[in-house]
Amino acid sequence: MTSHPAAADGGSFAGRMAFITGAGSGIGAATARLLAQRGAAVALADIDEAAARSVTADIAERGGQATALRVDVGDVRSVQSAIEQASAAHGGIDLAVNAAGITGPLQPCGEYDLDAWHSIINVNLTGLFLCMRFELQQMQRRGGGAIVNLSSIMGSNGLAGAVAYAASKHGVEGATKAAALDYAASGIRVNAVAPGYVDTPLISGRTPGAQERIVGMHPVGRIAQPGEIAELIVFLLSPQAGFITGSVHLADGGYSAR
Ligand SMILES: NC(=O)c1ccc[n+]([C@@H]2O[C@H](COP(=O)([O-])OP(=O)(O)OC[C@H]3O[C@@H](n4cnc5c(N)ncnc54)[C@H](O)[C@@H]3O)[C@@H](O)[C@H]2O)c1
């Protein structure tokens, strides 16, 4: 087995333990890979356990330390059990990335499907709160830590047809700020990242015309790659971001600057 160069020299996250939701795909998977490259032990949690296992195997093959777990972030028992398992596997949790998320149908508010509303709020907002709740308990035991939550450009803007997604992401930003204030004096930092559109399965399946319109919303003329968002997340988890808490960090190719 070839050891990954960054894992071999320890990287800047050596000795740190990270719990990542939505780690089987997209931004969560890219973040897990980058943290492992930089020396962290990573617990990859996803409702799609096979996907989490496949990313975990790839990280392990490159010399990283990784564990796969099944979690349904909308279910309190599942969240508590996954975080306890991750903590037991790696000896605690001091970093967390809450990236599990879903979208729904595009429908006007007056006709919005009620089941879709409840699912999106349950996964994107209640799920994120449940994860933070148990992650923070673990971090308090370690005497410090850092959390990054996934918001979106829809955390501060509307999008026609996306009432539930926009409401959930506005909620993520409020929850991030409130939790940051709760733990600011305890050495635990809580921030959010708000990406523009990112090339992941979450936004696949659109017609070529719709894809073109999405690209056109970004002044840089393209959407992001997951690894670009992971770089910002990993910076916010690092000691170099020690004075940054309670804030939302855009990575949106100029979307919000217009
Ligand atoms: N892709 C984008 O354009 C974009 C833009 C802004 C913000 N975001 C946000 O970034 C985060 C990651 O999105 P992505 O683009 O990587 O999506 P993705 O679909 O590639 O990955 C999301 C992962 O979350 C998992 N998941 C879904 N429901 C879950 C549940 N109940 N419990 C546990 N895991 C669950 C999925 O199985 C999947 O592996 C989401 O919160 C999303 O809202 C994405």
Side-chain angles (χ1 to χ4, degrees):
M1 187 167 64
T2 334
S3 196
H4 191 282
D9 71 18
S12 57
F13 285 89
R16 314 299 302 278
M17 280 78 73
F19 177 79
I20 303 155
T21 71
S25 176
I27 297 166
T31 305
R33 290 177 196 280
L34 190 55
L35 278 170
Q37 270 178 34
R38 306 230 174 129
V42 287
L44 289 86
D46 204 293
I47 199 163
D48 183 346
E49 194 181 352
R53 256 195 258 118
S54 149
V55 180
T56 299
D58 192 40
I59 290 173
E61 220 164 273
R62 292 160 189 267
Q65 203 185 329
T67 310
L69 298 159
R70 185 191 180 275
V71 71
D72 176 356
V73 297
D75 174 343
V76 63
R77 285 205 180 85
S78 172
V79 171
Q80 182 169 19
S81 152
I83 289 177
E84 282 172 5
Q85 284 176 60
S87 175
H90 295 296
I93 292 173
D94 42 29
L95 306 170
V97 179
N98 296 312
I102 55 172
T103 56
L106 286 175
Q107 295 166 345
C109 184
E111 293 153 38
Y112 203 81
D113 182 82
L114 291 178
D115 289 339
W117 167 272
H118 288 301
S119 301
I120 291 167
I121 297 297
N122 191 47
V123 174
N124 292 5
L125 183 55
T126 306
L128 180 129
F129 156 70
L130 292 174
C131 289
M132 280 208 293
R133 189 173 185 278
F134 293 104
E135 291 158 2
L136 285 160
Q137 291 175 11
Q138 293 289 338
M139 289 175 192
Q140 276 189 296
R141 277 181 212 148
R142 308 261 310 158
I147 296 178
V148 174
N149 293 323
L150 263 297
S151 181
S152 156
I153 41 177
M154 304 318 159
S156 52
N157 297 284
L159 174 70
V163 64
Y165 189 79
S168 74
K169 294 301 185 182
H170 277 69
V172 164
E173 296 192 4
T176 298
K177 292 173 189 172
L181 294 175
D182 288 338
Y183 294 91
S186 311
I188 304 175
R189 299 181 299 102
V190 188
N191 289 289
V193 163
Y197 284 80
V198 187
D199 186 11
T200 74
L202 193 81
I203 64 155
S204 64
R206 288 187 163 78
T207 61
Q211 293 280 18
E212 210 174 295
R213 270 197 304 283
I214 287 172
V215 168
M217 293 175 195
H218 298 76
V220 295
R222 64 175 180 89
I223 61 173
Q225 289 305 309
E228 295 178 289
I229 308 305
E231 289 284 355
L232 175 57
I233 295 169
V234 170
F235 169 71
L236 289 170
L237 293 174
S238 75
Q240 286 72 25
F243 198 60
I244 304 176
T245 196
S247 44
V248 179
H249 302 266
L250 287 163
D252 70 353
Y255 181 104
S256 309
R258 293 161 308 163

